[in-house]
Amino acid sequence: MKKIFTFFVIAIVILAGCNSSAATKNHREEVRKANLSIWLPEWQLKSNIENVGNSYEGLQSLRVFGAYFDGNDKPFLTETAAKVYEHMHDNYRDSHTILLTFINDYVVEGRPSVQKDGTLLHRFVKDEQARKKHINDIIAMTEQFPVDGVEIDYEKIAKEDTANYILFLQELYEVLEKRGLSMHVVVVPSFPFENPLPDGPSYTVMAYNVHGYHSGPGAKATFSFLDQLLVRLEKSNQQFSIAFATGGFTWPKSGKITALTGDEAEKLVASTNATIKRDQNSHAIYFHYNDNGMDYEAWYADAETLQKWVAYVQEKDPKYEHFVLWRAGGLSAGTIEWIAAQQQ
């Protein structure tokens, strides 16, 4: 009887050890560090510098955002964008990959700016001659502002331009590769992923904008949206990095919707004594407050939200290893700390 009892004790100890090991393994997987990069918007010079300076250990690439286009369809950097580039190049070129992002925004003095201009994009890619000229203009920018790679963030691609746009990506990649520069491409969630994309570039899909200026209150990304996006990505012949958005928005009962950085959102909570809640469908924070007699509803992603989104995607499919954050500038202290902790 004593031998039987001893056997059971040993068995229980072994099983407990196995369960403990499994629990430890699951915990390690749950807190798996993210391979992070970040966009640096040209309108946030001082805050960009401060945010990166306090979190650079957890960042792989710094993406200067970026190059717009003038009345002659030529790319240029604003004065502040050039300063962002110069700071990142001077301080992080030996430790980080520095990219220059090209955006199809039409910015001409004296005229209204056009964000994500589809007609501008059409002029870039409409035929072989146009594509060659555009590629030469991009190369000229990399000679003026030396970087490790080029990122293309062209949106509102007309259906009839898709084939030529993909040709442009292939042709640009071949030129950049010969010059020892990497190439990166950003696509929106509605991109027709069934269209084969060229091998060689790195691709990023925007996993945000579920709610914003165009909608009522809500999170920038939800779990159901991420589920749908991952299904869409399976149609592609390429592997993607996933881009998440920091910050959020505040919606008045009536009137203009306003974007909030994470830092602004947390200061707003403190100044209004608002009670924060966490949404179960997105893990984003939301709260209600009153300002000068007007009721508002605000939503934003904090560090815990970002970690949850990363973990959710990786739990669905571990092949997703690299994540890009939109954006630096106004990051909350908690988000900065979380980014820094991702040091590989």
Side-chain angles (χ1 to χ4, degrees), residues 143-249:
E143 293 173 343
Q144 183 181 358
F145 300 96
V147 288
D148 299 304
V150 163
E151 182 174 62
I152 300 298
D153 180 11
Y154 293 170
E155 300 174 29
K156 293 186 179 178
I157 305 167
K159 186 176 181 180
E160 56 270 24
D161 289 328
T162 301
N164 281 336
Y165 172 70
I166 292 174
L167 274 175
F168 157 70
L169 296 180
Q170 179 64 53
E171 292 162 359
L172 176 60
Y173 172 73
E174 291 170 359
V175 174
L176 290 172
E177 185 183 34
K178 290 177 182 177
R179 302 176 75 89
L181 298 176
S182 63
M183 179 171 163
H184 308 256
V185 181
V186 181
V187 300
V188 297
S190 60
F191 185 84
F193 293 102
E194 63 275 9
N195 290 277
L197 290 164
D199 293 334
S202 298
Y203 295 92
T204 299
V205 63
M206 297 162 49
Y208 51 90
N209 286 346
V210 175
H211 296 92
Y213 293 116
H214 61 284
S215 73
K220 287 188 174 183
T222 63
F223 299 131
S224 61
F225 162 75
L226 294 177
D227 289 340
Q228 295 166 14
L229 178 60
L230 295 181
V231 170
R232 289 182 56 79
L233 292 180
E234 289 303 314
K235 299 177 182 178
S236 180
N237 65 319
Q238 298 296 340
Q239 174 64 34
F240 285 81
S241 298
I242 307 294
F244 290 127
T246 62
F249 292 89

Side-chain angles (χ1 to χ4, degrees), residues 131 155 223 281 319 332:
R131 294 194 299 272
E155 300 174 29
F223 299 131
N281 296 315
K319 73 183 177 186
S332 67

